[in-house]
Amino acid sequence: MQALIFVASLMAAIVLVLDADATLAPVRPSELALSRQASVVAAVSAKPSHQLVGIGASGAWWSDPAYALGRRDRHRIGQLLYGRHGLELSQFRFNIGGGGVGVTTWWKAPPTWYQPNGSLNFARDSRAVYFLRQAANHGVGDLVGFVNSAPPAFTSNHQSCGGTLLASAIPAYALELAETVRGIRTHFGVKLTYLSPMNEPVGSQASCHQEGMAVPISERGPLVVALHRDLVHLAPWCHVIADESAFVANGFLVDTPKWMSYPGASNAVAALTYHGYDYPDPATLRDVHRLARQLHHQVWASEICCHTPVGFAYQYDPTMISGIWLADTIYNDLMVAQASAFDWWLALSPDLGCNPASDPTCFRDINALGRNDGLIYFDLSGGSNGDRRLYLTKRYWVMANFSRYLRPGARLYPVATSDPRVKVLAAREGDKEVVIAINRTPVGSPPTPLIVEFPASRHRLVADYTVETSFRHSLTPLTNPTVSGSVVATLSHSFSVTTYVFTRVKK
């Protein structure tokens, strides 16, 4: 813990320097020379690599304490997540609770609808359902159900954590899930479009701070086949995704070919899903893309959070240091792994690591006691102590640079750049062209000239608007670039994400 506190203190000091627009460290002459070259050239491919399904976040765990903030703030949460001036998320991951039996953290112990007699009681977990319906009412196209633990009747230790899915329970568990999807539509008027029956199946969350269950590789194929069969009969609008491995290199890449070899598994799964908690490098993500092509499936990056200077660990960092990491992560998942969907872990989190009721400005600073698991934060006790503020991080604004402008159905185009410190992606949807540039030049570097070159076309581009997120800006409108065949722009700030939106018109 002392080591983490030291890291947090060091990072907080760095933030103070960055906010003062000074340098992190002396800029080497070679870096300055590269920064002052004529321009960074970004060449857009003539062919799209794949199509976007959606960008979203999870509603797990936070529904009870967030609901307690009151009606006004519940409404604001909806606007921040789905509104035209918010993230405009196109996916929402809804946690189907496993009952919370044995879980020691109260807000991570959702009830289950499954009853001992085999019936379903949809009167439970009404606050989580409120936020599910909120997403549906805002027109979120993909509502994804996922399970951390099956109900205790189906686990080896009859708890919602620390156990293993019983192989003998697979038929009953699959049927229960299909009936749950049908019941959500019948009782709440909401259609789940995808369903994940297991989450990080290697681990069971044996510490029981949250729900979890292990699902052996030998059970994963039979489970997705049984679930697909029951969904076809009871809820044909819903499709199976799997297996949500926690790690890519020693999880998804190794395990997926094994369980997908089970007869019928390939036809039962709509998308292969992974979590990136080993923070995979580009070479590993290229392996993800190759595997997905070999298996003839699209792939989704369905959960990530909690990155710190030492990897996965406790830390709360609302600054652009964490924001630029998120930008890199989204880019790598979408453009290197060629994932068709990107989902952040928690849309909201109370894991601030400090008490804003007693220290109203603590949410601005890095600390070692919180977690980088949310886009928006709130006081866990806000419903009772009156602190009903919602705290937005730079991760929130970086996410908006992508989620607001990359819409479902958009075709994504690879972009090659002449400077590896500047990453660019392009997308096209209808008559709209979107270009997103991530600038990782050293803090203190001069502005970076950028030329974006498009393949020859019968259309020309008209610049609509430009927004930037950086240390100083949060999705702030900027002057549009010049368009004369190519797009001529300037990335004004280091550690920034800039989104350009154009309209394509005939010449």
Side-chain angles (χ1 to χ4, degrees):
M1 179 60 73
Q2 288 178 342
L4 285 176
I5 292 172
F6 169 77
V7 170
S9 300
L10 177 61
M11 295 301 286
I14 289 172
V15 171
L16 292 177
V17 172
L18 292 174
D19 283 346
D21 205 29
T23 57
L24 266 171
V27 180
R28 294 188 296 271
S30 61
E31 291 176 326
L32 281 177
L34 189 57
S35 297
R36 290 169 179 164
Q37 69 179 8
S39 292
V40 173
V41 178
V44 180
S45 172
K47 294 183 178 180
S49 56
H50 60 300
Q51 198 166 30
L52 184 71
V53 172
I55 296 177
S58 168
W61 299 345
W62 51 263
S63 55
D64 269 13
Y67 188 94
L69 296 176
R71 179 179 299 178
R72 180 177 178 180
D73 288 284
R74 294 196 294 269
H75 175 76
R76 187 176 175 222
I77 287 168
Q79 292 300 315
L80 287 170
L81 295 180
Y82 316 114
R84 188 166 61 91
H85 299 292
L87 295 179
E88 288 194 75
L89 296 179
S90 48
Q91 288 193 331
F92 177 75
R93 283 171 61 85
F94 174 70
N95 183 204
I96 298 172
V101 177
V103 177
T104 58
T105 308
W106 71 267
W107 51 281
K108 297 180 181 180
T112 178
W113 290 320
Y114 185 78
Q115 302 301 297
N117 64 2
S119 65
L120 298 175
N121 178 9
F122 287 99
R124 309 192 72 194
D125 213 12
S126 60
R127 294 183 172 187
V129 170
Y130 171 90
F131 289 107
L132 172 64
R133 298 181 73 175
Q134 182 183 71
N137 291 338
H138 275 87
V140 177
D142 282 337
L143 302 171
V144 182
F146 76 99
V147 177
N148 285 320
S149 173
F154 305 134
T155 65
S156 60
N157 62 352
H158 301 298
Q159 292 192 157
S160 308
C161 56
T164 301
L165 178 66
L166 294 169
S168 60
I170 287 175
Y173 174 49
L175 180 60
E176 179 260 334
L177 285 177
E179 289 176 338
T180 294
V181 174
R182 182 177 63 176
I184 288 173
R185 183 182 184 185
T186 301
H187 289 80
F188 311 124
V190 174
K191 293 171 68 173
L192 297 183
T193 46
Y194 296 95
L195 181 62
S196 169
M198 53 190 144
N199 190 70
E200 301 182 0
V202 169
S204 65
Q205 297 296 334
S207 65
C208 282
H209 297 309
Q210 65 188 66
E211 288 193 335
M213 70 173 176
V215 183
I217 294 174
S218 61
E219 295 182 14
R220 297 176 205 174
L223 175 57
V224 299
V225 169
L227 178 57
H228 171 70
R229 180 191 61 236
D230 289 338
L231 286 173
V232 166
H233 289 101
L234 299 177
W237 58 86
C238 187
H239 309 282
V240 181
I241 59 174
D243 71 350
E244 311 239 36
S245 291
F247 306 118
V248 176
N250 294 315
F252 179 83
L253 291 174
V254 176
D255 296 348
T256 303
K258 297 176 182 177
W259 65 261
M260 279 284 283
S261 67
Y262 183 80
S266 182
N267 291 332
V269 178
L272 303 174
T273 52
Y274 68 87
H275 299 176
Y277 288 112
D278 51 350
Y279 306 116
D281 60 18
T284 303
L285 291 174
R286 282 190 285 272
D287 288 340
V288 169
H289 171 58
R290 280 192 285 268
L291 177 61
R293 288 190 64 182
Q294 290 169 7
L295 297 175
H296 306 290
H297 276 71
Q298 62 175 274
V299 65
W300 291 10
S302 58
E303 185 182 313
I304 189 62
C305 77
C306 306
H307 183 263
T308 76
V310 296
F312 184 91
Y314 274 94
Q315 185 196 62
Y316 167 78
D317 178 358
T319 76
M320 197 61 195
I321 294 174
S322 184
I324 201 71
W325 166 81
L326 175 57
D328 282 340
T329 300
I330 297 174
Y331 173 89
N332 287 336
D333 283 326
L334 291 184
M335 303 311 299
V336 181
Q338 296 191 20
S340 297
F342 176 89
D343 291 310
W344 179 256
W345 176 218
L346 296 181
L348 274 75
S349 170
D351 260 333
L352 278 159
C354 66
N355 184 0
S358 58
D359 183 358
T361 64
C362 72
F363 69 93
R364 300 174 183 169
D365 302 323
I366 295 173
N367 72 68
L369 302 179
R371 273 234 158 126
N372 290 328
D373 58 356
L375 301 171
I376 304 168
Y377 286 78
F378 65 100
D379 188 335
L380 183 63
S381 303
S384 57
N385 66 22
D387 180 12
R388 302 186 176 186
R389 292 174 293 175
L390 299 174
Y391 307 100
L392 305 185
T393 62
K394 284 294 184 179
R395 286 193 303 274
Y396 174 89
W397 295 111
V398 165
M399 186 76 157
N401 271 84
F402 292 87
S403 60
R404 192 186 288 188
Y405 305 106
L406 298 181
R407 304 306 300 166
R411 291 173 290 170
L412 300 178
Y413 290 77
V415 181
T417 63
S418 60
D419 185 340
R421 301 171 306 175
V422 177
K423 298 177 181 178
V424 178
L425 68 81
R428 181 179 299 170
E429 182 199 5
D431 64 350
K432 294 299 180 183
E433 194 94 32
V434 176
V435 173
I436 302 176
I438 304 166
N439 184 15
R440 256 195 177 274
T441 55
V443 175
S445 298
T448 302
L450 175 68
I451 297 176
V452 183
E453 297 180 341
F454 291 87
S457 171
R458 293 177 295 176
H459 294 81
R460 63 183 177 88
L461 299 181
V462 176
D464 293 338
Y465 45 89
T466 303
V467 292
E468 178 195 90
T469 298
S470 60
F471 282 107
R472 294 189 169 188
H473 292 152
S474 295
L475 215 68
T476 303
L478 300 180
T479 302
N480 284 330
T482 301
V483 183
S484 56
S486 301
V487 172
V488 181
T490 300
L491 303 178
S492 301
H493 300 101
S494 304
F495 273 44
S496 64
V497 184
T498 307
T499 301
Y500 306 94
V501 179
F502 307 92
T503 298
R504 299 170 69 245
V505 297
K506 289 186 176 181
K507 293 179 180 178

